[in-house]
Amino acid sequence: MKHHVIISIAALMTLSACGSKGTSGSEGQTPVDLAVTTDSMENMVFPLPQIPSTISKPEDQIGFIVIHFWDNFDFSDKEKSLNLTFMERNFVDYLTLIPAAMTEDRRMAFSELIKRASVSPETRSLIIGLGEKYLNDPDSPMKNAEYYADFVEAAKGS
């Protein structure tokens, strides 16, 4: 239940952040409701990290979630980590939270993701491809040059 509240807060923060920044491609974008899953999607997502009770500020909670988003995922599980549908769904959910995170948390989150995905060259390549597709493709509603630059920097640093 607590995750649903956090995700709802994150979604609201994301929507307000997108609206105030005026990033290209955000007009007409339908927000993703991460708190609702259908029966067919329940097996496609993994649990969010448990936020320590000592973290009370919403911006710190979001930072914790984006940095630790992938903690409960086993990147060595090739069946899941190389499943494009599964990974794409979770990657999009992850990116939906990124606009609500502070810059340093976003950068750390990208670094953590790349580090974890580097367990295998194939998984790392898949994650890099998803970053390219969603953060740099001109047709992506999530395109964001600043986030993409941070993502590429994280990939270079790993």
Side-chain angles (χ1 to χ4, degrees), residues 106-122:
R106 176 182 71 238
R107 290 176 180 156
M108 189 179 300
F110 287 154
S111 291
E112 282 297 311
L113 169 58
I114 299 295
K115 181 173 72 174
R116 289 177 173 277
S118 294
V119 71
S120 81
E122 300 90 356

Side-chain angles (χ1 to χ4, degrees), residues 1 7 13 22-23 38 45 59 64-65 71 82 85-86 91 103 109 111-112 114 116 133 144-145:
M1 181 68 168
I7 296 301
M13 290 174 73
T23 56
T38 62
V45 295
E59 63 271 17
F64 184 88
I65 288 174
D71 285 4
L82 297 177
T85 303
F86 175 84
F91 189 78
T103 302
S111 291
E112 282 297 311
I114 299 295
R116 289 177 173 277
K133 176 179 179 179
N144 185 302

Side-chain angles (χ1 to χ4, degrees), residues 53-108:
S53 60
T54 56
I55 300 176
S56 59
K57 292 181 183 176
E59 63 271 17
D60 294 336
Q61 291 175 337
I62 294 299
F64 184 88
I65 288 174
V66 298
I67 292 167
H68 297 278
F69 186 90
W70 300 95
D71 285 4
N72 293 319
F73 180 68
D74 180 6
F75 279 93
S76 66
D77 179 347
K78 290 198 177 221
E79 184 178 339
K80 286 186 180 176
S81 68
L82 297 177
N83 180 315
L84 180 60
T85 303
F86 175 84
M87 292 303 289
E88 191 163 24
R89 164 63 197 241
N90 285 288
F91 189 78
V92 168
D93 287 353
Y94 168 73
L95 287 182
T96 302
L97 298 171
I98 292 294
M102 293 182 286
T103 302
E104 283 307 309
D105 290 339
R106 176 182 71 238
R107 290 176 180 156
M108 189 179 300

